[in-house]
Amino acid sequence: MGGAGELIGGAVLGTLFSELYERLEKLIIKNFKYKKILNDFKSSLDSLKPVIDQIEEYNRELDHPEQELKDLKEVMEKGIELVGKCFEVRKWQFYEKNKYANKLVELDKSLQALLRRLHVQSIRDVKENSVSARSMKKDLSRIEPMLSRIESSLVLQNQAKTEAWCAAPELPLLVVGLDFPLKELKRKLLNLKDGVSMLVLTAPGGCGKTTLATTFCQDQEVKDIFRDNIFFVTVSKNPNLEYIVKWLHHFLKEQGQNPLLLVLDDVWSGSESLLEKFDQFKMPNYKLLVTSRSEFRRFGSSYRLQSLDYDNAMKLFHHYASLGDKSSHIPEDLSRQIVEHCKGFPLAIKVHGGSLCGQPIEIWTQRLIEWSRGSTVHDSGDELLLCLQSSFEALDKEIKKCFLDLGLFPEDQRIPAAALIDIWTEYYDLDEDAECIANLYRLSDRSLANLVVIRKEKVEKVEKVEKEEKKEKVEKKEGNQYYSEHFVTQHDILRELAIYYSKQEPVEQRTRLIFDIRGNNKLPSWWREQKHQVMKARLLSISTTDRLFPKELHNMQVPDVEVLVLNFQTNNYALPESVENMDKLKALIVTNSGFLPAELSNFQLLSSLSNLKRIRLERISILSITKNPIELKSLQKISLFMCNIGQAFSNCSIPISSAFPNLEEINIDYCDDLVELPADLCDLIQLKKLSVTNCHKLSALPEEIGKLVNLEVLRLRCCTDLVKLPGSIEYLTRLHFLDIYKCFSIKELPEKIGELSGLETINMGQCSRLQELPVSVLNLGKLQEVICDEETEILWGEMFKSRLTRISVVKEDFNLHWLHKF
């Protein structure tokens, strides 16, 4: 902006202000998407005008240099440049719009901070130069109205007066759905003897954490306990609260016997060092409540605030949409559909209720139509998007990608962590399953997803035995990394955020291509416009409730796809014909969310895919696949979850070893009709991991299992009808992990189990019929850990214990609280 640059270089403060103000008004008229942000910024400029006039007058009277206004000039210069760039943004440039919207928000914050500083500066100037008290009072009265708008958002300015920062913010006019969460906070924090000293209240942005914390502070029972010692501090992204820590130290020293409640609101991810400073005060009457989008696991107890139920969501929506008047012309059914789409997310309800308030019925109907065509709630809710955007932007690059990948799965369904492991291992070239789970924990810690383990083993007791011969470094194995009980749940608003960001690139350039055509079976408009073009997508997701694909998808050109996720709900399903041309496909996830296993056809299309390494099938009839068997020579891992298997593999026209010659891992989970494994499975000599879990009718393993000479992990947990382990297991000399947890029917172990020279860990908890161990277990020279329960611990006796490094006594822990959502 050449001419504008010259203007800025030689302009006085008033000219800069006029230039910025004029451009901003034009941008608002142009109807730039984020009008609310622009109006807020304009409001700040309106407040700035009298301050500029006032300070320039002081500078003339007091002969102060213009350098004093340098920061303010820089803010306005940036404003002129930024507004100019906003003019250049085109309608379809969603990413640029969001980027400049964030910069406008930051600029507005900088301007507000400067307003505060200028207020303080003007007072100092007046005092230093003996301007009359009457003039000072008059001038301050001109500034105060401007300051009142931003007063609540400023960090405390005076150490000596805690009143400036300790008060909780005002509650909104209507508070709903917090009765139970409030009881939970009181139960956890108000027990001064046994309760926790620090509690992290966590949820995504816009869920009501600050409102709940404020409600807690204003609760009468809480005030009766803490009286005047309730302090509420809003922490910024870059907190500088050293003086509060000092004050707290002094307060506890002087009044340590009096109960104290300190609330740190809106603590950002990465603020562990800050929390350490406040958590160092270990006193029985000191309680610290932290609200954050991050969980901060290492600081102990946390409480996750859930979304609103339907009744409370409807109350909140009626309030913001001003539908309390019985004469409202909006049908209740329209309100219900809007509220259901907001999924109990308070900020989404507030934003959409407010935007529809007073609008004609046609606008309401249009909103629903837009959503049905694939639009998200973020496309029509700027405030909601900006609130959640900060959580997304705070992630590092790799975790951002993982968050976006969660949008590949349908709403209201739990996502198996095992499916994400298959995707991320191939797409991001990860070596360990634990890396994938670690990424899920990082998303969960930031309230962008919820990682749930529905059944896990809780360690009750650990016995360690120090032995010189065990002290050499042992390579870490991953056999005990069992993640079939791990699932990811995610609020639909967060899923839509992932989809929103996935759509920011032009269609043909998108990395993730997501088709959700459930219900109406209609393709989105953006696809109909681009259907004949070659797409560069590398991850493709298609969700439908119809057995037949729209014909357009059979001919789609996506040669670069590496991950294909197919979700459906029907008894018969055919793979899209376009799969045959996905030469780079590495991972295929096929999920039937219906009640019965589905017949799967077109499976033969996969035979030409030389890069396909992983297949995961959920609720599929395997017999429908093996009727026309194919060879998949590159396949390394196959997972079958809740599938009908029966005698499917036994009746194949080609041996399993010929169909999958390079298979290294088999996972079979919750396949209720599996009675026995086919004998020719033992010809898969490349197999390293065999996991057959929760298959309660499995009664026997093939006697030839000893032929699997490369097997490293054998997991048979919760196969309750399994009677014994074959004697040939002695030949599995590379086996380092054996899991027979909850195999109730096993009465004895093979006599020569001691020949398992590589065995390092055995899990044999809940094997109640196992009464004794063969003497050969004394020959298990590399055995380091036995995982068991209190009953099976007795079997090992003192003689066996002396040969072990570790005995872990565990107790099963079920987590079923998440099931009500599915």
Side-chain angles (χ1 to χ4, degrees), residues 59-271:
N59 283 336
R60 285 194 299 269
E61 292 181 6
L62 302 174
D63 196 27
H64 279 191
E66 191 173 331
Q67 180 63 31
E68 200 171 57
L69 303 178
K70 180 180 178 181
D71 291 342
L72 183 56
K73 292 177 67 177
E74 288 181 355
V75 168
M76 287 195 290
E77 288 171 352
K78 290 180 181 178
I80 293 173
E81 181 180 3
L82 180 57
V83 171
K85 289 182 178 179
C86 289
F87 269 105
E88 299 172 1
V89 176
R90 297 296 180 260
K91 182 179 180 180
W92 60 85
Q93 294 177 307
F94 302 106
Y95 176 79
E96 284 77 6
K97 285 186 178 181
N98 291 335
K99 179 176 70 174
Y100 291 138
N102 280 324
K103 289 186 176 182
L104 282 168
V105 171
E106 293 302 317
L107 191 66
D108 189 34
K109 290 180 180 178
S110 299
L111 184 58
Q112 291 182 17
L114 274 172
L115 284 170
R116 181 66 173 184
R117 285 172 52 194
L118 290 170
H119 167 56
V120 175
Q121 181 67 42
S122 65
I123 296 174
R124 189 194 70 188
D125 290 346
V126 172
K127 287 183 176 180
E128 287 180 351
N129 293 276
S130 301
V131 177
S132 68
R134 182 179 301 175
S135 175
M136 174 181 166
K137 181 177 180 181
K138 176 182 177 181
D139 291 329
L140 285 177
S141 67
R142 294 165 57 191
I143 303 174
E144 288 303 327
M146 171 274 296
L147 292 173
S148 62
R149 191 179 74 82
I150 62 173
E151 190 71 32
S152 61
S153 67
L154 298 172
V155 181
L156 68 98
Q157 298 292 320
N158 193 330
Q159 270 186 317
K161 295 184 177 181
T162 58
E163 292 84 357
W165 55 270
C166 69
E170 293 291 329
L171 281 171
L173 294 177
L174 178 67
V175 176
V176 298
L178 295 184
D179 291 345
F180 178 75
L182 178 62
K183 288 180 181 178
E184 287 296 288
L185 291 193
K186 290 164 67 174
R187 180 179 65 82
K188 290 175 176 288
L189 278 173
L190 293 192
N191 188 334
L192 296 181
K193 292 183 179 180
D194 302 323
V196 298
S197 60
M198 175 178 172
L199 180 68
V200 178
L201 172 59
T202 183
C207 276
K209 301 182 295 296
T210 299
T211 302
L212 177 56
T214 302
T215 304
F216 180 77
C217 291
Q218 296 185 9
D219 181 81
Q220 191 58 50
E221 183 179 356
V222 174
K223 291 195 290 187
D224 288 344
I225 293 175
F226 297 101
R227 299 185 180 277
D228 294 330
N229 296 331
I230 300 175
F231 303 98
F232 194 106
V233 181
T234 300
V235 182
S236 63
K237 183 177 180 180
N238 298 303
N240 182 17
L241 303 177
E242 291 289 343
Y243 52 89
I244 297 182
V245 176
K246 294 177 182 179
W247 167 85
L248 182 60
H249 179 78
H250 176 77
F251 179 92
L252 293 174
K253 183 177 180 181
E254 297 294 324
Q255 305 184 46
Q257 301 304 314
N258 297 326
L260 168 69
L261 171 64
L262 176 60
V263 178
L264 298 180
D265 184 46
D266 196 22
V267 177
W268 283 66
S269 173
S271 300

Side-chain angles (χ1 to χ4, degrees), residues 556-571:
M556 65 191 314
Q557 300 180 58
V558 281
D560 294 331
V561 164
E562 298 179 33
V563 174
L564 176 60
V565 179
L566 300 173
N567 308 289
F568 60 90
Q569 188 176 352
T570 182
N571 294 330

